[in-house]
Amino acid sequence: MLRSGVAGMNCVRSCGARFAALALALVVSVAPSSLVTAQGSNAPVPADPSATNRVVASLTCQEVSHTILTWGVSVQNQTAPFAKEPSLAAGKIQRGRLDFRPRREPALGFIWDPPQAKLYLDINGNDDLTDDTNGVFTCRTKSSDERYQLFTDIRLAAQTNPAASPLLLDLNFRQYSSLYVSASLRSFYAGKTTLADRDWQVGIIEKPYSDPNSLRDASLLFRSWDSRTQAFGADDGRLQAFPLPKTLCFGGHSYRVTATWESATEAKGVRLEFAEEPVPLGGLKINGDYIRRALLMDASRTVVLDAPTGTVPVPVGSYTSYQVHLQQSESSASLKDSFSHRGVTSTITVQSNKPGTLVAGGPLTNTVTLRRRGNLLVMEHRVVGAGGEAYQLDGGANYEHPPTFAVFSGEKRLATGKFEFG
């Protein structure tokens, strides 16, 4: 069995793996000094520990064209017709209810009519699917395969939270052995603020499947104001957004972060407060190249390091995990980890008189491991960083041009082939 990868041993030679070439480009194309800006090795603690600087940002709902977050929606199938229904095609009709927040608010009634490429939603919840003028949607991409249809620009209000603006969603319906529905979020709350003499775009991404009255499961968008037009994902490998921390640290500053719904105002939105607090600082040595952004995390605190090199100021403490995103020219790479486990679990201790060390980033190395499974030779490929952490190149795999390999004995080529993705 051959799995996605390229050869990195003397018996296996790469013959054209696109992603491997890009990974190697991260190592050799551009000098690290052209990619990053050195930061100071130490920053003073404020002279008056009791002084607190509070900055408040009022965030309003923003809608974007890209997907911010995708999750599976619980489906309750239904065979009985609703009280009132529109004119439907004969045969392949799906009825049911969608649980966006299971057991937290009433499920949303729906009828999916694949032959007519229509989706009807019971927005007002009265079991009448003929009176929802804002609940009828048409699949824009026509296909002979009616088992898969995408419905876009759906706005749903959180019934239990009047302070929240309607969510902008796309819904994917797939019918194979059973009906599967996934939702893609395309709205969030954002605004501009100034912290440590820099302008930032800050935002809150509400997780639609979490408690609608609390933002404790939300993600925080935190990036330079100049980057505000770039697409991003909640908690994705590019690290422009990450789980909302209780304390946010960067550039030698530390802020307590509080996010609350602004239910008392006419404009629905989120109030995001940053309260600066003095903290003792130590140093963190960066051993690795091409780091665009790194995050150090513990149970309540996230430290953001943008383009760090050398020794950078970090609050004293022990951090239990880290994440990194790499960038060199047009190539970028993210840590390769699962949806449920973000980052690398590794304790990094920073003391006031003893710097900690982060070993991560480039140079990247292509490695291949070989193991036998019965009569098969299984070859596994990994792109490995300076600390042994695995990366994947951003942009996804090129399925039209999979990596190729060749096996040699000395100068004699014994076999060639292509890797399977998996």
Side-chain angles (χ1 to χ4, degrees):
M1 178 182 293
L2 299 178
R3 296 191 178 275
S4 174
V6 295
M9 304 176 66
N10 59 3
C11 63
V12 186
R13 300 181 183 178
S14 171
C15 300
R18 183 183 71 88
F19 64 84
L22 286 173
L24 290 173
L26 282 170
V27 179
V28 301
S29 296
V30 179
S33 59
S34 67
L35 298 176
V36 294
T37 302
Q39 301 182 20
S41 61
N42 196 14
V45 176
D48 180 7
S50 65
T52 300
N53 179 27
R54 296 178 182 271
V55 176
V56 175
S58 293
L59 313 184
T60 57
C61 188
Q62 310 287 319
E63 296 182 347
V64 293
S65 59
H66 64 271
T67 295
I68 298 173
L69 177 72
T70 299
W71 76 103
V73 179
S74 178
V75 180
Q76 303 172 11
N77 293 310
Q78 177 176 320
T79 56
F82 287 93
K84 289 187 179 181
E85 296 185 345
S87 177
L88 303 171
K92 304 175 182 178
I93 304 301
Q94 291 279 353
R95 295 178 179 86
R97 299 181 186 273
L98 302 176
D99 254 343
F100 291 93
R101 293 185 177 99
R103 299 177 299 279
R104 296 185 185 273
E105 58 187 35
L108 179 68
F110 75 89
I111 297 176
W112 178 30
D113 187 347
Q116 298 189 79
K118 291 284 188 181
L119 174 66
Y120 301 90
L121 298 178
D122 187 17
I123 301 295
N124 58 19
N126 64 353
D127 271 9
D128 182 351
L129 277 78
T130 66
D131 64 351
D132 299 277
T133 56
N134 58 340
V136 182
F137 304 91
T138 303
C139 178
R140 296 179 180 178
T141 55
K142 300 295 183 181
S143 173
S144 58
D145 189 351
E146 296 177 351
R147 296 176 300 173
Y148 169 83
Q149 289 179 349
L150 171 66
F151 301 93
T152 61
D153 299 333
I154 298 170
R155 288 174 176 82
L156 296 179
Q159 300 177 26
T160 57
N161 190 351
S165 297
L167 299 171
L168 178 63
L169 305 174
D170 296 339
L171 292 179
N172 270 295
F173 280 71
R174 302 176 184 177
Q175 176 63 60
Y176 293 105
S177 58
S178 60
L179 178 60
Y180 175 78
V181 179
S182 62
S184 297
L185 178 67
R186 290 175 38 216
S187 61
F188 68 110
Y189 296 85
K192 180 180 181 181
T193 193
T194 301
L195 297 172
D197 299 323
R198 286 187 60 186
D199 291 336
W200 304 89
Q201 184 190 34
V202 291
I204 289 291
I205 301 103
E206 179 197 8
K207 302 295 178 63
Y209 44 80
S210 61
D211 187 344
N213 298 308
S214 171
L215 293 170
R216 64 175 178 268
D217 295 325
S219 286
L220 174 69
L221 174 68
F222 184 75
R223 59 182 178 177
S224 68
W225 182 249
D226 294 339
S227 302
R228 65 189 181 279
T229 59
Q230 297 177 5
F232 71 94
D235 313 332
D236 72 3
R238 296 178 184 269
L239 308 184
Q240 293 191 354
F242 42 85
L244 177 66
K246 294 180 180 178
T247 302
L248 176 70
C249 310
F250 64 93
H253 297 267
S254 180
Y255 298 87
R256 293 193 309 274
V257 183
T258 306
T260 54
W261 291 106
E262 288 190 320
S263 56
T265 63
E266 291 185 5
K268 299 177 180 180
V270 174
R271 182 182 189 271
L272 189 60
E273 179 182 284
F274 298 88
E276 188 167 10
E277 55 187 3
V279 291
L281 297 176
L284 179 70
K285 294 181 180 179
I286 306 298
N287 286 354
D289 299 327
Y290 317 121
I291 298 178
R292 178 65 175 175
R293 171 169 278 193
L295 304 179
L296 296 185
M297 296 158 289
D298 60 22
S300 62
R301 179 171 50 179
T302 296
V303 180
V304 177
L305 304 172
D306 284 329
T309 58
T311 301
V312 296
V314 169
V316 168
S318 291
Y319 301 92
T320 54
S321 64
Y322 69 85
Q323 298 186 47
V324 291
H325 183 251
L326 309 183
Q327 180 80 44
Q328 190 216 18
S329 187
E330 298 300 318
S331 299
S332 60
S334 302
L335 279 178
K336 187 175 183 180
D337 51 13
S338 65
F339 177 83
S340 59
H341 177 250
R342 294 291 183 183
V344 174
T345 301
S346 177
T347 300
I348 298 174
T349 301
V350 177
Q351 303 177 21
S352 57
N353 59 351
K354 184 179 180 181
T357 302
L358 173 62
V359 183
L364 299 184
T365 303
N366 291 283
T367 65
V368 172
T369 58
L370 305 178
R371 58 188 176 87
R372 183 172 180 173
R373 183 190 298 168
N375 294 327
L376 300 176
L377 180 63
V378 180
M379 306 164 67
E380 299 281 357
H381 167 264
R382 297 174 76 230
V383 178
V384 178
E389 71 281 11
Y391 292 89
Q392 56 189 5
L393 291 172
D394 297 332
N398 186 345
Y399 292 96
E400 295 182 359
H401 302 284
T404 60
F405 70 92
V407 180
F408 286 78
S409 175
E411 295 299 319
K412 183 179 180 181
R413 186 168 66 181
L414 302 179
T416 62
K418 295 182 179 181
F419 284 91
E420 297 176 3
F421 289 96

